[in-house]
Amino acid sequence: MSVKHTTEKALQMLRTLPRVTIGNIRDNPQSKQNVKRGRGQHGGDKHGAGNKGSGQRQNYMRLGYETGNTPFYMRFKYEPYYKGHHLKREYPPISLHQLQKLIDTDRLDSRAPIDLTTICNTGLFEIRPDRLHHGVQLTDVGADDFRAKVNIEVQHAPESVIAAIERNGGVIRTAYYDPHSLYAVVNPKKWFEKGVPIPRRMLPPQDAVEYYTDARNRGYLADPERISQERLVLAQKYGYTLPKIEDDPDYAMLAEAKDPRQIFFGLNPGWVVSLKDRAIVKQK
């Protein structure tokens, strides 16, 4: 059959057949299912949901509805304490007792600097930047039993924790990480596999500048001379002899610190780490 004859036959069928409308089309095979389903002894008409009412119709009350009464959120006035509560930075806690246990079980090496990356690499702590986690806070639970000498960097620490670490000859530093840098810090392997440069750490926001520039908090933006003075003041307040870290055989490790724009030890912002090639591409 020629193409011309086939075309003419198709046109002839279109002239004779009616237009396609809702009334002259049929459903696809088995597109409609039998409405009687569910428990067989009830004929499938109730589907095991009972007889009438909101339980059968699945017309459940919305969250906060109190069956006609004035809802709780309308009976009381708005509290300004909760203003911006969903935007506040969160710092999941890690105690000195947990830190000592991690060191004793060789999950953390006290002979090297400890930061947020090494804590996350233990696999026991999860930092979620998408849930407004901005790092960890070191708590004083187990401060009397803490014996390790460490160089640690956290995001928040009270005065008692600072005293417990410096009493053993250690060094503590509080540092800020912006959310973009946190994604690389908490999972370096995933970041390196993407093949993108290491980000540059941003400076803290306006409401956090005061904390990270205060020597009493051992802020990473504070004056080093002021930190040395505050170390002595804290030792006198808590009644312990401050070890002289300059004479310590591990002084090189204790004095190691990151640049305020740096997020990894030994790796500068802008470098690309290739795990497949085991190479580091540096900026010229």
Side-chain angles (χ1 to χ4, degrees), residues 260-277:
R261 296 289 191 173
Q262 190 179 9
I263 65 174
F264 295 119
F265 282 106
L267 296 175
N268 292 336
W271 290 5
V272 179
V273 178
S274 175
L275 299 180
K276 183 178 180 180
D277 301 331

Side-chain angles (χ1 to χ4, degrees), residues 85-92 131-137:
H85 185 73
H86 64 292
L87 300 175
K88 291 183 179 180
R89 293 183 291 272
E90 296 187 10
Y91 302 94
R131 295 184 180 179
L132 298 182
H133 292 180
H134 280 69
V136 295
Q137 58 171 323

Side-chain angles (χ1 to χ4, degrees), residues 194-211:
K194 293 193 296 185
V196 295
I198 298 174
R200 185 177 65 167
R201 177 164 40 163
M202 297 290 102
L203 294 176
Q206 194 66 34
D207 59 343
V209 170
E210 182 179 358
Y211 182 86

Side-chain angles (χ1 to χ4, degrees), residues 66-84:
E66 299 184 13
T67 63
N69 298 330
T70 305
F72 176 85
Y73 63 88
M74 296 180 65
R75 288 199 301 267
F76 300 95
K77 63 179 183 180
Y78 177 77
E79 292 290 343
Y81 168 79
Y82 296 104
K83 184 177 181 180

Side-chain angles (χ1 to χ4, degrees), residues 11-248:
L11 292 175
Q12 185 63 28
M13 291 179 62
L14 289 175
R15 293 189 189 100
T16 58
L17 292 175
R19 289 177 176 271
V20 178
T21 62
I22 295 295
N24 58 18
I25 61 175
R26 70 172 60 173
D27 298 321
N28 293 329
Q30 298 186 10
S31 63
K32 288 189 175 181
Q33 301 292 334
N34 186 9
V35 296
K36 286 186 176 295
R37 56 187 175 86
R39 295 169 60 180
Q41 60 267 36
H42 292 296
D45 56 344
K46 301 294 189 295
H47 314 304
N51 193 20
K52 296 185 179 179
S54 62
Q56 183 185 13
R57 300 187 179 98
Q58 298 182 4
N59 185 23
Y60 302 117
M61 292 181 292
R62 70 177 188 276
L63 188 65
Y65 182 65
E66 299 184 13
T67 63
N69 298 330
T70 305
F72 176 85
Y73 63 88
M74 296 180 65
R75 288 199 301 267
F76 300 95
K77 63 179 183 180
Y78 177 77
E79 292 290 343
Y81 168 79
Y82 296 104
K83 184 177 181 180
H85 185 73
H86 64 292
L87 300 175
K88 291 183 179 180
R89 293 183 291 272
E90 296 187 10
Y91 302 94
I94 173 176
S95 65
L96 288 174
H97 176 73
Q98 292 174 308
L99 183 63
Q100 183 68 57
K101 186 183 296 185
L102 292 174
I103 295 173
D104 294 341
T105 55
D106 293 333
R107 289 182 178 270
L108 287 178
D109 187 7
S110 61
R111 296 168 297 180
I114 300 173
D115 61 351
L116 187 59
T117 301
T118 56
I119 293 175
C120 292
N121 284 342
T122 61
L124 301 177
F125 299 93
E126 185 182 24
I127 302 299
R128 297 284 300 273
D130 58 324
R131 295 184 180 179
L132 298 182
H133 292 180
H134 280 69
V136 295
Q137 58 171 323
L138 200 57
T139 62
D140 58 358
V141 178
D144 296 335
D145 301 326
F146 188 73
R147 296 292 180 267
K149 180 177 63 177
V150 295
N151 177 7
I152 187 170
E153 177 191 85
V154 293
Q155 283 60 61
H156 194 279
E159 186 182 75
S160 56
V161 170
I162 297 175
I165 291 179
E166 294 180 350
R167 180 184 59 199
N168 298 328
V171 175
I172 184 172
R173 191 174 294 103
T174 56
Y176 171 82
Y177 288 95
D178 60 282
H180 182 61
S181 300
L182 275 174
Y183 282 102
V185 170
V186 301
N187 196 343
K189 183 176 181 292
K190 183 178 180 180
W191 185 271
F192 295 155
E193 287 176 346
K194 293 193 296 185
V196 295
I198 298 174
R200 185 177 65 167
R201 177 164 40 163
M202 297 290 102
L203 294 176
Q206 194 66 34
D207 59 343
V209 170
E210 182 179 358
Y211 182 86
Y212 291 109
T213 55
D214 194 344
R216 292 173 296 181
N217 302 324
R218 307 300 186 263
Y220 74 120
L221 299 177
D223 185 9
E225 295 184 0
R226 288 281 301 155
I227 292 179
S228 299
Q229 297 174 4
E230 292 296 335
R231 282 170 56 91
L232 183 59
V233 170
L234 193 62
Q236 295 173 348
K237 179 178 179 180
Y238 281 81
Y240 61 86
T241 303
L242 182 66
K244 196 172 183 180
I245 62 173
E246 290 81 1
D247 300 334
D248 196 290

